[in-house]
Amino acid sequence: MKVLVPIKRVVDYNVKIRVKSDQTGVDLANVKMSMNPFDEIAVEEAVRLKEAGKATEIVVVSIGAAQTTETIRTALAMGADRGILIKTDEQVEPLNVAKLLKGVVEAEKPDICILGKQAIDDDCNQTGQMLAALLGWAQGTFASKLEVEGDSLNLTREVDGGLQKLKLKMPAIITTDLRLNEPRYASLPNIMKAKKKPIDEKSTDDYGVDVKPRLEIVKVTEPAQRQAGIKVESVEQLVSKLKEAGVIG
């Protein structure tokens, strides 16, 4: 079974985001970048499938500038076998990402494609669903548990009312939730081995996809500062303040 894992290079989740002075976007100058946390979970799940003897090859793919190679190397150090970089300096929107991934899927012919449910930079939560629609594959989103049974997948996913269990026929698209697993840290020997693993470089033209943005960012602003709270001396005063604010009648 071959597993394809798309990954994205984003601003590290520990970094405090700064908006550019002209409000055209986020300031990325001298900012630490890393793999999207949900994508780390996807890579970890693929590696666990291989360790369990269910998967035979793990291919990671990413779309971005030349520096994205570093993110692919991180996935290779975690246990992926080889990488594909679709090189572009454009900001690629989710539908175009899905179209590019469709081209990769048609070339690589994986049995399962595991993605993070969303990226922490744009929070779109669209790519996995769009890819499933373009391919006509079964999909299971927000997976918190995944088991392979023959040519089927048993999936537990988180929904508003609790947990939902699905059985999917492969090939299938899976998007990962936080509770699926805890990603490992890459060991130094594996980091050294990852430097020798192959990374194929492609262009968007290789897949016949026009990645020109269809959306225009008008303005990016920081969230408004929250007002400081007040302390009350008694329950009666609390009730009075809540009534004044219109929270209770």
Side-chain angles (χ1 to χ4, degrees):
M1 181 175 76
K2 182 190 281 191
V3 183
L4 181 72
V5 185
I7 61 176
K8 187 177 184 181
R9 185 173 186 259
V10 299
V11 176
D12 189 88
Y13 69 94
N14 287 310
V15 172
K16 180 174 171 53
I17 299 297
R18 299 191 307 272
V19 175
K20 291 180 181 177
S21 57
D22 59 2
Q23 297 185 323
T24 57
V26 173
D27 187 1
L28 299 179
N30 301 314
V31 171
K32 182 184 178 185
M33 307 291 283
S34 61
M35 193 191 309
N36 178 49
F38 289 103
D39 298 344
E40 284 187 332
I41 294 169
V43 174
E44 174 66 25
E45 193 64 20
V47 173
R48 291 188 185 191
L49 288 174
K50 188 175 181 183
E51 289 173 344
K54 303 291 186 180
T56 54
E57 185 181 24
I58 303 167
V59 183
V60 293
V61 56
S62 192
I63 303 164
Q67 299 93 317
T68 308
T69 303
E70 300 167 11
T71 310
I72 295 175
R73 292 284 178 208
T74 300
L76 296 176
M78 288 175 68
D81 297 297
R82 58 187 176 90
I84 300 170
L85 170 61
I86 304 175
K87 197 173 175 182
T88 177
D89 292 323
E90 290 277 5
Q91 189 69 33
V92 187
E93 294 169 355
L95 179 57
N96 290 331
V97 172
K99 288 178 178 178
L100 288 168
L101 293 178
K102 178 176 180 282
V104 174
V105 167
E106 289 172 345
E108 293 290 335
K109 295 180 171 49
D111 300 283
I112 179 174
C113 188
I114 308 178
L115 307 84
K117 71 172 184 178
Q118 66 195 76
I120 62 170
D121 53 1
D122 56 23
D123 274 336
C124 282
N125 180 19
Q126 295 174 340
T127 304
Q129 294 89 326
M130 288 176 169
L131 178 59
L134 291 172
L135 290 169
W137 285 14
Q139 63 172 307
T141 56
F142 312 147
S144 59
K145 188 176 180 181
L146 178 65
E147 295 174 338
V148 178
E149 186 181 298
D151 62 349
S152 300
L153 299 171
N154 294 323
L155 181 90
T156 302
R157 64 187 298 264
E158 301 196 356
V159 294
D160 290 341
L163 299 177
Q164 182 183 52
K165 294 185 182 295
L166 300 176
K167 186 166 187 174
L168 310 176
K169 273 281 191 186
M170 289 193 281
I173 305 293
I174 304 298
T175 71
T176 63
D177 207 348
L178 279 173
R179 277 167 282 279
L180 181 59
N181 61 51
E182 182 73 32
R184 70 193 65 193
Y185 288 102
S187 65
L188 183 58
N190 285 341
I191 291 171
M192 300 305 293
K193 288 177 186 175
K195 293 180 178 180
K196 297 180 181 179
K197 291 182 179 180
I199 298 178
D200 294 332
E201 194 170 295
K202 302 285 187 180
S203 72
T204 56
D205 292 337
D206 291 333
Y207 300 101
V209 178
D210 176 15
V211 296
K212 184 179 178 182
R214 270 64 172 178
L215 303 175
E216 179 187 353
I217 296 175
V218 177
K219 184 167 70 171
V220 177
T221 59
E222 292 189 13
Q225 291 287 336
R226 293 183 65 179
Q227 296 278 333
I230 60 169
K231 291 183 178 179
V232 295
E233 301 296 330
S234 65
V235 174
E236 290 76 14
Q237 192 180 354
L238 173 61
V239 172
S240 175
K241 291 290 184 184
L242 291 175
K243 285 182 177 178
E244 287 174 16
V247 177
I248 60 176

